[in-house]
Structures are given as C-alpha cells and as structure tokens.
Amino acid sequence: MRLTEFWRRMRAHFGDAYADSWARDYVLAPLDGRTVTQALAEGESAKTVWRAVCQVEDVSPQLR
C-alpha cells in the first residue's frame, strides 16, 4: 500500500480535519505503543500501520 492510499483511507474514515490529528495523537497497542505518525516515521509499512488502525477502529469493510 502506498502512503497516498493510506492517507486517502484515513481521511475517508476519520474525515479531512481529524485524520492528521488522530494519526499524531492516538497511541496504538498493535504498533507497540506508537502513534501512526511515529510508526510511519520509523519505517513501518503503510500496510502494517493501516492494519493496526483497522484493529482499533471500526473501519468499514470498503476501506479495509
């Protein structure tokens, strides 16, 4: 998954205004206690991070 697709899905799920904030502030257990932003900056793949988001959020099947 490319980062552009990752962010498209994040915005589709959370909305344009909230996606960036959620990615910076919400700590995810599946990412070893990192935020989305931290995990991506540390080289975690967008696909792995998206799967972690799907584990903690009720993401619609169309976006999974």
Side-chain angles (χ1 to χ4, degrees):
M1 170 186 291
R2 293 181 179 202
L3 276 175
T4 53
E5 177 61 17
F6 171 83
W7 286 111
R8 185 194 70 75
R9 291 181 189 197
M10 285 287 288
R11 288 183 185 94
H13 178 70
F14 291 105
D16 289 337
Y18 190 53
D20 293 331
S21 175
W22 193 92
R24 282 190 315 270
D25 298 335
Y26 194 84
V27 174
L28 284 79
L31 294 177
D32 299 323
R34 297 177 291 175
T35 66
V36 164
T37 304
Q38 289 170 328
L40 291 171
E42 292 173 6
E44 202 70 60
S45 75
K47 186 175 185 177
T48 298
V49 176
W50 181 247
R51 286 180 177 162
V53 171
C54 290
Q55 286 179 4
V56 300
E57 283 288 308
D58 187 23
V59 176
S60 71
Q62 295 87 350
L63 293 175
R64 284 186 180 260

